[in-house]
Amino acid sequence: MSRPIKIAIIGAGSATFSLTLVRDLCASNAFPGSTICFMDVDEERLNSIHRLAARYVNELGIDLRFEKTLDREVALKDSDFVINTAFAGGHKVEEDLREIAERHGYYRGHGNTGHWGGTKIPYPHGFHQYKLMLDIARDMEKFCPNAWLLQASNPVFEGCTLMTRETSIKVIGICHGHYGYLEIARVLGLDPDKVDVQMTGFNHLIYLTKFEYDGKNAYPLIDEWIENKAEEYWRTYKPRYSENQMSRAAVKQYQILGLFPIGDTVRMGYWQFHLSLEAKKKWYGPLGGFDSEIGWGQYLEDLKNAVDRIFKVANDPTVRVTEIFPPKMSREQHVPIINALVNNVRGDFQINIPNKGYLKDIPNNVVVEVPATIDKDGIHVGEIIQLPPKIVLTVLMPRMIKMECEFYAFKTGDKGMLLAMMLDDPRTKTVEQAEELLEDLFSYEFNREIAKYFGYIQ
Amino acid sequence: MSRPIKIAIIGAGSATFSLTLVRDLCASNAFPGSTICFMDVDEERLNSIHRLAARYVNELGIDLRFEKTLDREVALKDSDFVINTAFAGGHKVEEDLREIAERHGYYRGHGNTGHWGGTKIPYPHGFHQYKLMLDIARDMEKFCPNAWLLQASNPVFEGCTLMTRETSIKVIGICHGHYGYLEIARVLGLDPDKVDVQMTGFNHLIYLTKFEYDGKNAYPLIDEWIENKAEEYWRTYKPRYSENQMSRAAVKQYQILGLFPIGDTVRMGYWQFHLSLEAKKKWYGPLGGFDSEIGWGQYLEDLKNAVDRIFKVANDPTVRVTEIFPPKMSREQHVPIINALVNNVRGDFQINIPNKGYLKDIPNNVVVEVPATIDKDGIHVGEIIQLPPKIVLTVLMPRMIKMECEFYAFKTGDKGMLLAMMLDDPRTKTVEQAEELLEDLFSYEFNREIAKYFGYIQ
């Protein structure tokens, strides 16, 4: 075991995520004497998660110390790892902006409806995230310049690219979407331990470049399933909102592009999949997938219930926390990555890091998602199977250019770029519609500062 | 004067263009003893234009010889210059394909409706052009490897890029769209001789990077006109279909992008300008611009009338051709460029050539449109003012990527790429709509060969 470390968790009020980290830290039991500093802007949530964590280690007799602070500088100071899970404004702002966009004819909001080009965060909301991420990375340059930043909140692709371009901080973007390949294995009836995969691309846009079962190419098994079993599966399936992996949307993307899309990639896809609830149901099943009003509504409710449950436990000193939330490893990669870097517990991960020729058609100043082995010496990327031109040209390039457009707007405050981006939305029928939506988005109170920046208000 | 040269004109049956060349050759009177070889697949048209040209020089007593052939090899053999004006299938095919697309909900056709991404030639029609251009350039490698190819027919951007990538032929793409700046001068009431401009980009996507009047930046004059006179102008103007330069569409593009679009660039613009005849009228005036059913209809009629007039003269040996079509220089650049290269009559031109760092954000294997001086030593490109990121990111890059997609489909016969491109059209509401349109386009007789190539038929 190495020396005790300090881990700062920014946006720790995201209770589910923080509790998962605490459970993983305890289950791995690899960081004796270490300190976890919770930071959030919501003091009440902060206090609750802090109390809960303290009780958690206390019940287990594990030597982990917890701090809490409203001050980012205090959290970052001398940290070895920073986990950023902060989402500026939270889901409330996201839903409000979506509602504004729907009033202007943008079903499910503008910019985050699962199109190829979508960041999952609508702009101008995305700009708040860019600013927050960049502020954190710049603060890290001051207060913990050698720390690793594990970026958990979205948009991982754009955010990690921006931070690695603009600061010297070591960034790893982390997601769990790649586990989607396990759903393929499950539906095909394969033993997951015999499945060998490689998936690459951008976060939320990854493709199965290698799919072997027992050492043999298993794509024919997918083809056979599509040929003989898919229609029956779709006729009868009742997927949870998060289960999109074997939807018609996934299969159609595969048929067009030649490789199977994995995880959140499936939620993206052609905008024609997302034009209406009816279209979403056709492509993603009865709930219309993760991003329909039904699917997303269930997700928000599940999230709320999970948080309520955590806070209920946090506020009830009579229950044993570890009985309700036992210390077993989740599938989140954060703690194992820290363990690999600190304690040399070598592991294979799926991470988002600046391209270094891994994807040959993508510039090196763009963050890509690749498999990598991590140990105390750092990140080791092995041989990467290249994505075919069809995916590079029709999926990755357009998304990359959209990112550059957003960065340009973010850096310059150029209104013309905002309008140009909006005119690129296939639902924008007239220039006036786009202009009116922008006016309305920028009169939303949370956007006040950036409304000034873009010249919408004085 | 240098030695006599041989000029091959491919697609010479395009009577208006061939006659213009003959007039320019005679007016410049700089190529004594030279041979012009007309080649076309339409023998009747070929004979007419050949007779007409012979009479033309005969009346003037100019020493130019004309040949005609249906055989491309004969035309190319030992040529010094090849002018390619051929349009595979001609307007008939274009209109038929447009009609098919309209039946599937694509107003004014698919792929050529003036969108940013449009090549002006719908696919699969564009693929015929790519094949024809590449065949000609490859034949040139065999029969006249040192000749210059002056590419006149569209798509100039894609075609010139393809030919310069795939062959060693020297290619110059030529257009006249850049003269649009003269319409700006006229509307603003400026003396065109005192106007100094620079325009760069891709063919049909060029922007006014320099606009000086009497040595001073004249953009403020445009701004003033927009502020004080534009509305009045738009209220009363009755532009010809070809006069789009000072339309609302041009001004809106300028306001969004920061530089004025020139010539055919104005016809492109946001797809929202082109959604319906009503939209086109709003943005391009009473005729709906060049690409509406009204404007394009008038263009085709004008073209037919011009051709009829030429053939009437060609078939009437009693009239003096030079009285009806006097030998004066047109504004076409072909003959002056030949004169510059052959006789060292140095001149300034607007041409399409492979990028050699002229536009720093564009790869060097892409053809760009830039101003250049030409003399017997070749092409000299001076200092190029760089286009702003907003134009590179939102206009040039998307168009370039669309070109790469078309090339990929062209080279591989990949059906998935065709579908992916079609789903990118904002008018494609469902995947089925796109699939059905493709089926219909590929069952059109002229597309039979490529339908096999793409696996639509056996």
Side-chain angles (χ1 to χ4, degrees), chain B residues 84-375:
Chain B
N84 180 16
T85 174
F87 185 29
H91 287 298
K92 167 82 168 70
V93 167
E94 188 170 45
E95 294 310 309
D96 284 353
L97 291 173
R98 195 200 303 277
E99 197 195 308
I100 292 171
E102 287 209 329
R103 286 207 297 271
H104 289 269
Y106 297 81
Y107 169 62
R108 300 299 295 147
H110 172 80
N112 68 337
T113 48
H115 302 170
W116 289 127
T119 63
K120 266 282 294 153
I121 316 286
Y123 53 82
H125 196 179
F127 298 154
H128 293 284
Q129 276 299 84
Y130 294 159
K131 181 169 184 318
L132 179 58
M133 290 183 189
L134 211 46
D135 284 351
I136 290 169
R138 283 184 179 140
D139 277 357
M140 286 179 66
E141 285 183 315
K142 277 187 258 171
F143 305 120
C144 54
N146 297 315
W148 287 90
L149 173 60
L150 306 186
Q151 179 61 42
S153 51
N154 278 315
V156 165
F157 169 57
E158 286 84 358
C160 292
T161 299
L162 185 64
M163 291 187 290
T164 52
R165 281 186 190 180
E166 304 284 326
T167 78
S168 57
I169 291 301
K170 294 175 290 187
V171 178
I172 301 178
I174 299 180
C175 188
H176 41 227
H178 64 286
Y179 289 123
Y181 81 88
L182 292 171
E183 196 175 331
I184 302 182
R186 188 175 59 73
V187 172
L188 296 185
L190 306 181
D191 175 357
D193 291 337
K194 294 185 186 166
V195 171
D196 188 16
V197 294
Q198 188 174 109
M199 299 157 287
T200 58
F202 300 154
N203 183 237
H204 291 182
L205 289 178
I206 55 171
Y207 294 85
L208 192 62
T209 51
K210 178 186 181 182
F211 183 51
E212 290 186 353
Y213 191 60
D214 235 351
K216 275 173 57 186
N217 177 25
Y219 258 109
L221 301 180
I222 296 180
D223 295 336
E224 207 184 292
W225 179 83
I226 293 170
E227 180 76 19
N228 301 317
K229 299 189 178 158
E231 285 296 341
E232 175 63 19
Y233 175 81
W234 293 325
R235 214 172 4 254
T236 56
Y237 79 148
K238 298 258 180 294
R240 277 171 52 79
Y241 55 83
S242 55
E243 290 168 341
N244 300 294
Q245 186 58 64
M246 296 307 272
S247 60
R248 276 186 204 275
V251 168
K252 194 72 193 180
Q253 289 176 56
Y254 166 50
Q255 288 169 334
I256 292 174
L257 295 170
L259 291 182
F260 221 82
I262 299 297
D264 302 281
T265 317
V266 177
R267 290 166 61 186
M268 308 280 158
Y270 300 96
W271 60 271
Q272 287 85 359
F273 296 174
H274 298 282
L275 262 181
S276 63
L277 180 58
E278 190 190 12
K280 282 178 183 281
K281 283 183 175 176
K282 169 176 173 178
W283 292 104
Y284 293 95
L287 302 183
F290 209 142
D291 301 288
S292 77
E293 52 270 52
I294 304 173
W296 192 252
Q298 291 189 1
Y299 163 69
L300 289 182
E301 204 180 308
D302 281 0
L303 194 63
K304 185 180 173 303
N305 290 340
V307 171
D308 286 352
R309 188 158 165 253
I310 292 169
F311 286 133
K312 199 178 155 208
V313 174
N315 296 329
D316 179 356
T318 66
V319 299
R320 274 184 71 83
V321 187
T322 49
E323 257 171 36
I324 298 172
F325 305 113
K328 59 169 190 150
M329 292 299 292
S330 73
R331 292 195 311 189
E332 293 289 353
Q333 301 183 93
H334 308 76
V335 171
I337 286 176
I338 296 173
N339 206 8
L341 289 164
V342 172
N343 296 317
N344 205 25
V345 179
R346 197 178 166 90
D348 293 328
F349 301 96
Q350 179 84 5
I351 58 173
N352 293 271
I353 51 175
N355 193 28
K356 286 185 186 165
Y358 310 135
L359 296 186
K360 300 194 194 316
D361 298 316
I362 303 299
N364 278 355
N365 66 349
V366 170
V367 163
V368 295
E369 182 164 322
V370 288
T373 302
I374 302 180
D375 59 22

Side-chain angles (χ1 to χ4, degrees), chain A residues 26-38:
Chain A
C26 290
S28 65
N29 197 11
F31 309 96
S34 294
T35 301
I36 290 87
C37 183
F38 295 124

